[in-house]
Amino acid sequence: MKELDIVIQNPTGLHARPAKVFVNTAKQFQSDIRVHHGTKKANAKSLISMLTLGAEAGTTIHIVVDGVDEETAMTMLATAVADGLGEAEHINQPTNQLTSQSTNQQPQDGLIRGIAAAPGIAIGPIFQLRHAEVTFTETFGGASAEETRLQTAIEQARGQLAALHQQMLTRSATNEAAIFDVHLEILDDPDLLDTVLGKISQQQPAAQAWQSTIEARAKLIAGLDDPLLAARSADIHDVGYRVLRLLVGADDQGLRLPEHPVIVIAHDLSPSDTASLPKERVLGFCTAVGGPTAHSAIIARALSLPAMVSAGVSVLELANNTPAILDGRSGTLTLNPDAQAIAQAQQMQATWRQQQETAARSAAAPAITPDGHRVEVVANVGGLADTKAAVLAGAEGVGLLRTEFLFLDRAAAPSEEEQFAVYRDIAQAMQGQPVIVRTLDIGGDKPLPYIEVPPEANPFLGERGIRLCLNRPHLLREQVRAILRAAEHGKLRIMFPMIADIGELRAARTIVEEVRAELKVPMVEIGIMIEIPSAALMADALAAEVDFFSVGTNDLTQYTLAMDRQHPSLAGKADGLHPAVLRLIGRTVEAAHAAGKWVGICGELGADPQAVPIFMGLGVDELSVSVPAIPSVKAQIRAQTLVGAKELAQKALTCATAQEVRELVR
Ligand code: PEP
Ligand code: MG
C-alpha cells in the first residue's frame, strides 16, 4: 500500500475539471485508490465521490493506493496533481514541489502575473464584471405590436453593430471589424427571423420567442463538434443577447459598471464587450483567460486601454473595490499597493503619457537607433481608410495589405476592375511609399461562401492561403492582374501567404510572370510570408527566389507550437516569444541577409514592446504593425541601441521558455 499527502494547488480547488482529470488518471489503474480530505473519504475513480471532498485550493489531500500497480499509479497521480490537473497555466509553484505546506492561491495582496496585452498603466479599484442576467416577465401584446418591437430592437442592434464595425475599422482592427460584420450577417438571417415570427404568430411574446430561438440555434451549432461552427455559436449568442437586451429595455448591453472608474476583471471579454467598454469608466482590464492575440487584446490596443490577459481564474475571486495597479506593459496586477507603490505608478503613468505624446509628435521621423541603425516601421492595413490613417500616423509604407477584406461578406468574388480600383487608390494614398499586397489568404478560419472547399477536419492545416489560390488559379490570376495594373500608380509589391514549399512559390511566381507578360508591364518585387516552420527552415533556398520575406508571427507561432491561435485556453501559452519561434526567425533573417534580401515582421508580435528589441537584435529590417502602434514602436526603436538589442536577442535564443524571454526583457 502507498500513501501520500499532497497539496491541491488549483486556484479554485478540486472543482469539476481538475477532479475529472484526477479521476481519469486513477481509472487507468487496477489498484484501489482512495482519497481522504479531512474527515471525508472518496473513491478516486468516481467523479461525484471526488467532488464531495470539497478540497479547496491550498488544502492537503491524502491519497491511498493499494494493488498490483500501486507504485505507478501513485507516481502518475502525484505528477498529475503537481502539473495542475489540466490547469497548469494557473499553477504558480514549481511543478515538482509536492509539499504538505498549505498555500494560498487566491492572493489578496501582492502581485498577480498574467500576459501583457495592451500597454499603459491603470490605478484604481477593481470590479468583477459579470453579465447581468436578462430577465423579463412578459405578456403578449398582440402579434403586430410584438413584431414591431422585435424589428425595432433588431434595427437598433444593427445600428450599434455598424458603429462598432466602423470604430474598429478606423482604428485598424480589421479582423475585429470583420467580427461585427459577421454579427450583422447573423442579424439578417432570414431563417432566424422566420422562426421567431412564427412563434410570435402563435402568441409568444417577442423576447421569449427570440431568446428561445437564439438559445436553440447556438446550442445546435455548438454541438456540431466543428471548431469553426462552435465559434459561430458564441457569435450567435453574442448578437442574440444584444437584441434581447434592447427588446427588454436593458440598453447597457448587460455590462453593469459602477459610476466611478474601475479596473475591470472578467473571465474573458467578447469582442463586443471589449469594444463597448465605456472609456470614461474603465481604466483597464484583466482577464482570467485569453492570449495576446485574442480579439479582446487587439481591441484593447486599438482603444489604448491598458490590459492584461491570462491572469488565471483566481482573479475572479478578488473582492470588488480592492485597490490595484494594472501594468499592461509587464502584464501585472498589484493588489493593495501602498502609498509608495501608488506614487511610483502615478509617476510611471505620467512618464508613459509623456512618452506617448513625444512618440506622436515625432511619428513622421524615421526610427533610427542611438547607434545609427534604421528599422523601417510600416503598417498592417485592411483597406483605404486604414491606409490614410497609416500615412498620418507616420507609416513608411504598408507592410501587409490584407486583401481578404475585399472578398469577405459578399456573394461573389470582386471583379478585376473592382480590385484594381482599390489597389490603385491605396497605392496613391501611400504617395510613393511601398505597399505590400498580400494575395488572398482565405480558408482556415476564414471561409468564403462562393469558394467551395470540402469540409475539412483541420481547416488550419487544410486548403488555406496560397494552396487554395493555386488550386483555383483564375482567382490568383485575376488578383495579380489587378495588382500589376495598379502598380502603375504607386510602388506595389506582391506577397504570397502560407508558403510551405518552394514549389508553391514557383507556381505562384509563374502565374505572376505570365500575367505580367500578357499585360506588358514591369515586374514588381515579390516576397513571401514566413509563417510555416518548413518555410523558415528552408529560408536559404527560398531567399534565392524572392525579393523579401515577411514573418507572420501569428501563424508561425501556432504552427510551431501546434497551438490554435484562437484556442481560448491555449492562447496564453501560444506566445511568439517562445525561443523555438525566435530561433526560426533568427534563421530566416540569417538566410535572407546572406542572399542580400530583407526581412519584415507582420504578425501582432511586431508591436509587442517586449518583442521589438528582440526582433531588432535578430536583424529584422522592417516592422509592420497596426496603425495605432506606429508612433510608439518607432519611439522604442529610437531608444534602443542595436548593440544592446543584439545582446538581448542572443540571450533570448538560449532561453528555455517564452516566459524566460519575457523576464529577460522585463
Ligand atoms: C500572421 O499570420 O502573422 C499574419 C500576419 O497573417 P494573418 O494574421 O492574416 O494570418
Ligand atoms: Mg497568417
Side-chain angles (χ1 to χ4, degrees), residues 382-424:
L384 184 60
D386 272 3
T387 310
K388 288 180 176 164
V391 175
L392 295 176
E396 299 168 88
V398 166
L400 170 64
L401 168 64
R402 288 186 165 101
T403 58
E404 297 83 77
F405 78 100
L406 265 168
F407 292 74
L408 295 169
D409 300 319
R410 50 192 299 156
S415 67
E416 179 190 320
E417 277 318 300
E418 189 181 338
Q419 292 190 58
F420 161 73
V422 173
Y423 303 148
R424 177 202 57 206

Side-chain angles (χ1 to χ4, degrees), residues 402 438 441 446 464 497-498 529 531 552 554-555 565:
R402 288 186 165 101
R438 179 175 74 180
D441 182 13
K446 302 174 230 169
R464 230 201 111 176
M498 293 288 297
M529 290 195 70
E531 49 187 349
N554 306 337
D555 276 315
R565 63 196 253 186

Side-chain angles (χ1 to χ4, degrees), residues 79-92:
T79 309
V81 174
D83 284 350
L85 295 167
E87 297 184 325
E89 69 274 28
H90 305 312
I91 304 293
N92 297 326

Side-chain angles (χ1 to χ4, degrees), residues 648-665:
L648 197 67
Q650 286 316 307
K651 280 190 196 147
L653 290 175
T654 63
C655 285
T657 63
Q659 220 171 354
E660 275 181 30
V661 175
R662 290 199 178 271
E663 285 299 329
L664 187 74
V665 188

Side-chain angles (χ1 to χ4, degrees), residues 501-545:
D501 177 81
I502 201 161
E504 293 164 338
L505 166 61
R506 288 177 181 157
R509 271 202 90 113
T510 304
I511 290 181
V512 178
E513 182 45 45
E514 284 169 5
V515 172
R516 192 209 60 77
E518 267 162 41
L519 291 172
K520 300 191 178 56
V521 293
M523 191 47 148
V524 298
E525 286 182 27
I526 290 186
I528 60 169
M529 290 195 70
I530 300 287
E531 49 187 349
I532 299 180
S534 60
L537 293 168
M538 296 300 289
D540 50 350
L542 291 162
E545 302 187 21

Side-chain angles (χ1 to χ4, degrees), residues 203-225:
Q203 318 235 312
Q204 263 193 37
Q208 189 188 327
W210 178 263
Q211 188 187 35
S212 60
T213 310
I214 284 290
E215 288 290 356
R217 289 290 152 96
K219 203 167 154 195
L220 186 81
I221 287 178
L224 290 179
D225 199 24

Side-chain angles (χ1 to χ4, degrees), residues 452-463:
E452 240 183 76
V453 178
E456 296 177 311
N458 296 300
F460 274 116
L461 303 180
E463 223 184 306

